[in-house]
């Protein structure tokens, strides 16, 4: 078993699409900002690394369409190259290769020397856990079938920290005048990588990775309701529809933010099937 994966970049997807994933079900969606004609600045990716595990990623480029698109793609390319080395390594876990991938991505984007950057959120999928890594304001989120949040990364931004501290209401933060400011990214001399603790993933939990074009157009409570239950493909289409509805037409209460919007949704296979795979 080798490295199997796919990077979704360049031309936007017409709608959510299923992505091959042996450990469960995954859907991806990416669409550039409606008022731009250049390349999509967002990228999404999924890799399965032999029998070690799987990795999901979303990157949101910074610096204008051409350079932002290049930066986000370079970051995912660097991560993919590092994950490929896991197959030849003696370490039976993905964490060191993900860490190396961030460092190499940062060096590559800095090497462009044009002031570009990109957010990057990565989730490592183990046999019975997930772990998040991120730089920037793209988010990883795990919710249970009943809507309980099990994991939610804190966006590296003044508004993100304000919400996390309880000083800002999550719904009101969507229209905050500083919502687009970030304090950390790949492509920075002082990039800071935040690594989360492993979180158990139950069979009916839903994992979401999303860029700010999703998060700024769907209220947190609405987003949870859209993805927590029902068929995952239906949830992906409902979330994409909601983003487009608000971003391009507003809804009377939310001022649509015309950013690129990208997300990945994932649910694991049944617990018994995953345990069987581990013992095989």
């Amino acid at each position: 078993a080798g490295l199997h994966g796919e990077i979704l970049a360049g031309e936007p997807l017409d709608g959510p699409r299923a992505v091959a994933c042996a450990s469960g079900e995954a859907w991806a969606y990416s669409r550039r900002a409606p008022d731009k004609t250049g390349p999509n600045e967002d990228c999404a990716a999924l890799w399965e690394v032999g029998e070690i595990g799987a990795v999901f990623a979303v990157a949101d480029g910074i610096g204008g369409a051409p350079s932002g698109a290049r930066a986000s793609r370079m970051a995912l390319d660097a991560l993919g190259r590092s994950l490929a080395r896991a197959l030849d390594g003696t370490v039976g876990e993905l964490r060191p290769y993900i860490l190396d991938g961030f460092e190499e991505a940062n060096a590559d984007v800095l090497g462009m020397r044009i002031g570009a950057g990109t957010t990057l959120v990565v989730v490592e999928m183990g046999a019975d856990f997930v772990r998040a890594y991120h730089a920037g304001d793209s988010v990883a989120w795990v919710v249970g079938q009943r809507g309980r949040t099990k994991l939610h990364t804190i966006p590296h931004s003044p508004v993100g920290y304000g919400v996390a501290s309880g000083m800002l209401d999550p719904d009101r933060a969507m229209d905050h005048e500083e919502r687009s400011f970030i304090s950390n990214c790949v492509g920075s001399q002082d990039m800071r990588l935040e690594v989360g603790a492993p979180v158990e993933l139950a069979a009916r939990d839903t994992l979401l990775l999303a860029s700010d074009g999703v998060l700024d157009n769907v209220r947190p409570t609405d987003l949870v309701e859209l993805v927590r239950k029902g068929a995952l493909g239906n949830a992906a289409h409902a979330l994409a529809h909601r983003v487009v509805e608000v971003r391009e037409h507003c809804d009377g209460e939310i001022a649509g933010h015309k950013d690129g919007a990208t997300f990945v949704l994932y649910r694991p296979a049944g617990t018994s099937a995953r345990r069987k795979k581990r013992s095989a």
Side-chain angles (χ1 to χ4, degrees):
L3 179 73
H4 303 283
E6 183 175 5
I7 296 178
L8 305 171
E11 290 302 314
L13 302 177
D14 292 333
R17 55 171 283 195
V19 182
C21 183
S23 60
E25 183 181 5
W27 287 76
Y29 173 79
S30 186
R31 192 159 184 168
R32 68 187 173 206
D35 58 349
K36 294 184 179 180
T37 58
N40 187 2
E41 296 176 72
D42 291 4
C43 284
L46 182 157
W47 293 277
E48 293 182 291
V49 190
E51 298 298 322
I52 306 174
V55 172
F56 303 88
V58 163
D60 179 1
I62 304 161
S67 57
R70 186 178 169 199
S72 61
R73 179 58 190 254
M74 288 178 72
L76 294 191
D77 284 341
L79 181 59
R81 289 194 305 270
S82 186
L83 292 174
R85 295 196 294 271
L87 298 169
D88 300 322
T90 58
V91 180
E93 61 174 322
L94 294 175
R95 177 173 174 163
Y97 301 99
I98 295 173
L99 298 179
D100 286 348
F102 268 87
E103 293 294 338
E104 293 169 23
N106 195 52
D108 288 351
V109 176
L110 279 171
M112 294 168 67
R113 300 184 183 278
I114 57 174
T118 183
T119 72
L120 180 58
V121 60
V122 174
V123 172
E124 170 194 6
M125 183 72 56
D128 53 7
F129 75 94
V130 295
R131 188 198 306 269
Y133 308 72
H134 76 292
D137 64 352
S138 295
V139 163
W141 200 337
V142 174
V143 297
Q145 188 180 34
R146 295 182 179 179
R148 182 172 72 89
T149 292
K150 295 186 174 183
L151 179 153
H152 190 289
T153 58
I154 298 174
H156 293 156
S157 68
V159 170
Y161 292 128
V163 171
S165 68
M167 295 178 64
L168 287 177
D169 177 84
D171 288 345
R172 292 185 178 181
M174 295 172 62
D175 291 319
H176 195 281
E177 61 183 5
E178 295 184 357
R179 64 172 183 80
S180 61
F181 295 173
I182 62 172
S183 55
N184 184 34
C185 70
V186 173
S188 169
Q189 292 286 356
D190 56 355
M191 181 195 75
R192 177 176 61 83
L193 171 58
E194 184 170 342
V195 181
V199 174
E200 182 180 356
L201 193 70
R204 294 178 181 175
D205 290 347
T206 302
L207 166 67
L208 167 73
L209 288 79
S211 68
D212 64 350
V214 174
L215 305 168
D216 287 344
N217 286 301
V218 184
R219 293 184 186 86
T221 51
D222 293 341
L223 191 151
V224 169
E225 283 302 306
L226 287 169
V227 307
R228 71 182 177 86
K229 62 182 180 179
L232 193 63
N234 291 344
H237 281 86
L239 179 56
H241 176 77
R242 181 62 175 162
V243 169
V244 171
E245 180 181 55
V246 175
R247 187 182 68 171
E248 301 179 17
H249 307 293
C250 301
D251 74 345
E253 296 182 12
I254 302 175
H257 301 298
K258 299 185 182 299
D259 298 326
T262 296
F263 66 77
V264 173
L265 284 176
Y266 170 84
R267 283 194 195 136
T271 305
S272 59
R274 294 167 73 213
R275 287 176 177 165
K276 184 182 295 184
K277 183 177 179 181
R278 289 177 64 193
S279 61

